[in-house]
Amino acid sequence: NAGVTQTPKFQVLKTGQSMTLQCAQDMNHNSMYWYRQDPGMGLRLIYYSASEGTTDKGEVPNGYNVSRLNKREFSLRLESAAPSQTSVYFCASSGLGGQPQHFGDGTRLSIL
Amino acid sequence: DQQVKQNSPSLSVQEGRISILNCDYTNSMFDYFLWYKKYPAEGPTFLISISSIKDKNEDGRFTVFLNKSAKHLSLHIVPSQPGDSAVYFCAASEINQFYFGTGTSLTVIP
């Protein structure tokens, strides 16, 4: 049971570079989410997708774009990375009706 | 402005005793509350939840209490075990969005 798979697990970027974080779930969940976790800040929602074909902004969307490629996959793109985007990024998915979220193991991203 | 707050960054408890983790929220529209457990280098794992129409939910050693008038949520772990040592996040949900607290690091001392 893979659950939620995130790639890559670690990445170092230079300021201004772009990259895409990948997320895939195999639980047939409708909703998918991207969070960032920073020290002392908990998890903050960047974007979410309530169902295939829809995406919505969360608390901290600036500097990010997302694509819900199909029901399984939800990617997060940094077009021009900034040091303030150094963080641990978590992808999550959930079923209908506010069911609990299942999380991936995170992508640790450092921007120099 | 943080809608879900965990005011205790850390908690230490002796093995076998009760651990009580607290959480406060500000949005009265939240209708679903959850607790997650997180080990280092792993994603959060769902532990227990409670609907806003209930005031208590139990699952084995874990019990969640909800006091809507006080906008307060707590997690009780009885008895505490060393394997319970982790960071615990509370979360609250409204429609499709989940809001997380900053976490409480629990250490259970053998």
Side-chain angles (χ1 to χ4, degrees), chain A residues 2-102:
Chain A
V4 178
T5 302
Q6 291 183 235
T7 55
K9 295 190 183 304
F10 302 94
Q11 185 70 48
V12 178
L13 293 178
K14 294 181 179 178
T15 298
Q17 286 185 316
S18 63
M19 89 160 287
T20 300
L21 281 62
Q22 307 286 354
C23 176
Q25 51 94 7
D26 62 3
M27 295 171 284
N28 201 35
H29 284 165
N30 288 300
S31 300
M32 297 186 74
Y33 308 80
W34 275 105
Y35 292 90
R36 60 179 288 174
Q37 185 190 10
D38 303 293
M41 299 292 288
L43 285 90
R44 292 183 293 169
L45 183 65
I46 304 171
Y47 271 93
Y48 69 100
S49 170
S51 61
E52 187 178 353
T54 69
T55 61
D56 286 285
K57 294 179 180 179
E59 292 178 75
V60 289
N62 291 344
Y64 304 96
N65 287 302
V66 290
S67 295
R68 183 74 184 266
L69 304 169
N70 48 55
K71 192 170 187 179
R72 288 188 64 247
E73 298 172 287
F74 188 38
S75 62
L76 178 72
R77 182 160 178 85
L78 287 70
E79 290 290 351
S80 179
S84 61
Q85 294 177 304
T86 293
S87 188
V88 182
Y89 291 85
F90 289 101
C91 177
S93 69
S94 67
L96 293 171
Q99 291 178 20
Q101 295 173 311
H102 295 255

Side-chain angles (χ1 to χ4, degrees), chain B residues 6-107:
Chain B
Q6 293 176 257
N7 292 318
S8 298
S10 62
L11 175 68
S12 291
V13 170
Q14 288 289 133
E15 181 178 4
R17 306 294 290 269
I18 184 171
S19 295
I20 300 177
L21 293 91
N22 294 304
C23 180
D24 296 296
Y25 62 95
T26 57
N27 186 347
S28 59
M29 299 302 292
F30 288 144
D31 56 4
Y32 187 52
F33 302 88
L34 311 93
W35 284 94
Y36 288 83
K37 179 178 179 180
K38 185 182 181 304
Y39 293 116
E42 294 183 8
T45 303
F46 170 69
L47 195 56
I48 192 169
S49 64
I50 187 167
S51 163
S52 61
I53 63 173
K54 295 186 175 182
D55 54 18
K56 177 181 175 182
N57 188 28
E58 264 183 281
D59 184 1
R61 297 185 297 113
F62 302 91
T63 303
V64 57
F65 294 92
L66 176 62
N67 182 333
K68 284 183 293 183
S69 61
K71 295 191 177 68
H72 181 79
L73 187 70
S74 64
L75 174 69
H76 292 207
I77 306 173
V78 184
S80 300
Q81 299 173 355
D84 296 330
S85 297
V87 176
Y88 290 78
F89 290 98
C90 67
S93 171
E94 179 188 11
I95 310 177
N96 283 313
Q97 293 209 32
F98 291 80
Y99 297 86
F100 284 78
T102 52
T104 296
S105 178
L106 173 66
T107 301

